[in-house]
Amino acid sequence: MDLTDIDTILERAYQNGRPFFLCLETMESKLKIAIQKSGRLFEDSMRILKEAGIEFNNGVNKLKSEAVNFPLEVFFFRDDDIPQYVEDGIAEVGIVGENVVIEKNRDVKMIDRLGFAKCRLSIAIPKDYPYKSTQDFQGKRIATSYPRSLSIFLKKNDICAEIHEISGSVEIAPGIGLADAICDLVGSGSTLLMNGLKETEVILQSEAVLIGNKALDQTKLSILEKLRFRIDAVKKSKNNKYILLNAPNKKLDEICRIIPGMKSPTILPLAQAGWSSVHSVVNENDFWGILEKLKEYGAQGILVIPIEKMIL
Ligand code: PRT
Ligand code: ZN
């Protein structure tokens, strides 16, 4: 920057009536992330950023929020608009349901799965219908807010059915005679149950994903890498537990084989002869199976502790 640049900046700063230091501040590069303004994704999206150590000064502006300790700006949008805004570069990355990414079919990059807002897109029919196979949908009317995903599924299965696109309360469509079946998101399945429907075909599984613009410059890519590193540490910590137990020395080999930990378990001798304390990390999915085996091998005093962050 030379003196002419400084003159120009000063001139603009005074024209806008803003203090000079604010102009310098806006020159710092920040990654723009789009998250859902309100709805099922909002809280978990903010939580994952918070757990990644990113803090926001909660201004009144609900359109945008700036992180105070990380080069990140959050923009709040309707989830349906996020893929398009990311493709257009209005936001460089975004958090949205995979179902929306597939349905909107925008030219964006799928970066990471985030492990929350898990659901599936399924076809459901009145519970008394004697369903046999996907061929039962031939010539039927199916109501959905996901016409693209449904039409891909129907084509793949050689089914010729009529798609009725509706934007909400899809589950009431069969009851009011608007459709023979529905294609909608299912979480616990209780909405289907309450509306006298049963799930017959799962079209896709979905969870919240981080998507990105395909043409990020080097500065934005390096901020994104830092963000991904932090999110990854949060995700790993959620999937793993720290485990401490007392083990009889004669069973240590078997025990170490089932709880290998990040490199290998830590083993410390106990004051009581013939016993050791074993510390390790176990994956949540294998947890209950491992616990049963540990008891079989005579492990005692088993403590399981949540991990806050985990970096391999
Ligand atoms: O206002 P905006 O457009 O931003 O939000 P939205 O109303 O379109 O979406 P929102 O907030 O309802 O959901 C956002 C995202 O959450 C979805 O795109 C999915 O990726 C994810 N998600 C996870 C779900 C569900 N689970 C879910 N169960 N989205 C919707 N549902 C609905 C479903 O449509 C049905 O009406 O919940 C009902 C079924 O739930 P169960 O538990 O009874 O089976
Ligand atoms: Zn939406």
Side-chain angles (χ1 to χ4, degrees):
M1 191 189 314
D2 61 24
L3 277 176
T4 340
D5 293 331
I6 291 174
D7 279 349
T8 318
I9 289 169
L10 273 172
E11 208 174 281
R12 283 194 195 141
Y14 284 123
Q15 271 172 12
N16 295 337
R18 301 172 70 212
F20 177 54
F21 68 87
L22 276 184
C23 279
L24 286 179
E25 190 183 74
T26 54
M27 286 161 71
E28 187 198 339
S29 200
K30 290 184 177 179
L31 186 72
K32 288 180 266 176
I33 186 168
I35 72 163
Q36 192 190 24
K37 192 180 163 81
S38 62
R40 289 168 196 264
L41 299 172
F42 171 76
E43 276 184 14
D44 283 334
S45 303
M46 289 307 281
R47 182 190 43 77
I48 207 165
L49 295 177
K50 201 168 163 221
E51 286 174 351
I54 301 171
E55 288 165 22
F56 297 90
N57 56 15
N58 286 334
V60 277
N61 187 350
K62 194 63 177 96
L63 277 178
K64 197 177 104 167
S65 194
E66 282 188 34
V68 291
N69 57 354
F70 192 84
L72 193 74
E73 253 179 307
V74 181
F75 288 85
F76 301 103
F77 297 125
R78 280 198 61 206
D79 67 343
D80 314 67
D81 299 331
I82 291 176
Q84 162 131 37
Y85 286 149
V86 170
E87 180 187 302
D88 295 346
I90 290 168
E92 283 122 2
V93 293
I95 296 178
V96 68
E98 204 174 347
N99 52 305
V100 172
V101 181
I102 293 168
E103 183 62 28
K104 299 294 172 190
N105 195 27
R106 293 287 165 185
D107 192 21
V108 293
K109 198 165 145 190
M110 193 84 100
I111 302 173
D112 281 320
R113 288 171 194 284
L114 299 175
F116 62 86
K118 289 191 177 169
C119 58
R120 52 198 187 271
L121 183 64
S122 293
I123 303 185
I125 55 170
K127 70 173 186 327
D128 297 330
Y129 185 90
Y131 182 76
K132 284 187 216 69
S133 75
T134 52
Q135 288 310 309
D136 290 4
F137 296 120
Q138 290 292 4
K140 296 281 178 2
R141 297 162 304 161
I142 310 176
T144 189
S145 312
Y146 291 86
R148 179 173 185 270
S149 309
L150 175 59
S151 128
I152 293 171
F153 174 83
L154 295 177
K155 243 182 232 145
K156 216 166 80 193
N157 287 280
D158 278 328
I159 297 159
C160 190
E162 210 180 294
I163 298 177
H164 272 266
E165 186 177 347
I166 51 177
S167 58
S169 303
V170 177
E171 64 281 354
I172 63 167
I176 59 170
L178 188 70
D180 305 300
I182 66 161
C183 170
D184 198 11
L185 296 175
V186 181
S188 63
S190 64
T191 303
L192 294 184
L193 207 67
M194 279 191 309
N195 287 278
L197 300 168
K198 65 179 174 191
E199 195 175 356
T200 54
E201 300 293 332
V202 176
I203 289 187
L204 57 93
Q205 298 281 351
S206 176
E207 66 185 89
V209 289
L210 181 68
I211 56 168
N213 181 280
K214 285 189 170 169
L216 295 187
D217 65 32
Q218 211 39 57
T219 318
K220 299 293 169 93
L221 280 175
S222 91
I223 303 173
L224 175 59
E225 275 322 297
K226 285 184 188 136
L227 178 67
R228 288 183 66 193
F229 176 79
R230 291 183 180 208
I231 288 178
D232 196 49
V234 173
K235 266 169 50 194
K236 284 206 187 85
S237 71
K238 293 256 172 288
N239 293 336
N240 289 279
K241 299 267 179 263
Y242 193 76
I243 185 165
L244 296 108
L245 53 102
N246 295 330
N249 286 349
K250 56 182 189 308
K251 289 288 181 189
L252 275 179
D253 285 349
E254 284 99 324
I255 287 177
C256 291
R257 237 173 275 137
I258 59 166
I259 49 169
M262 283 160 59
K263 238 189 190 78
S264 66
T266 306
I267 300 174
L268 302 164
L270 285 189
Q272 186 178 336
W275 283 81
S276 298
S277 166
V278 182
H279 300 204
S280 194
V281 170
V282 293
N283 189 285
E284 182 130 83
N285 296 328
D286 312 327
F287 178 70
W288 290 105
I290 287 176
L291 209 62
E292 280 161 23
K293 285 230 172 72
L294 287 174
K295 295 203 81 170
E296 252 173 57
Y297 294 144
Q300 294 177 2
I302 303 171
L303 297 179
V304 182
I305 300 167
I307 298 170
E308 203 183 299
K309 303 280 181 300
M310 188 167 154
I311 296 133
L312 295 179

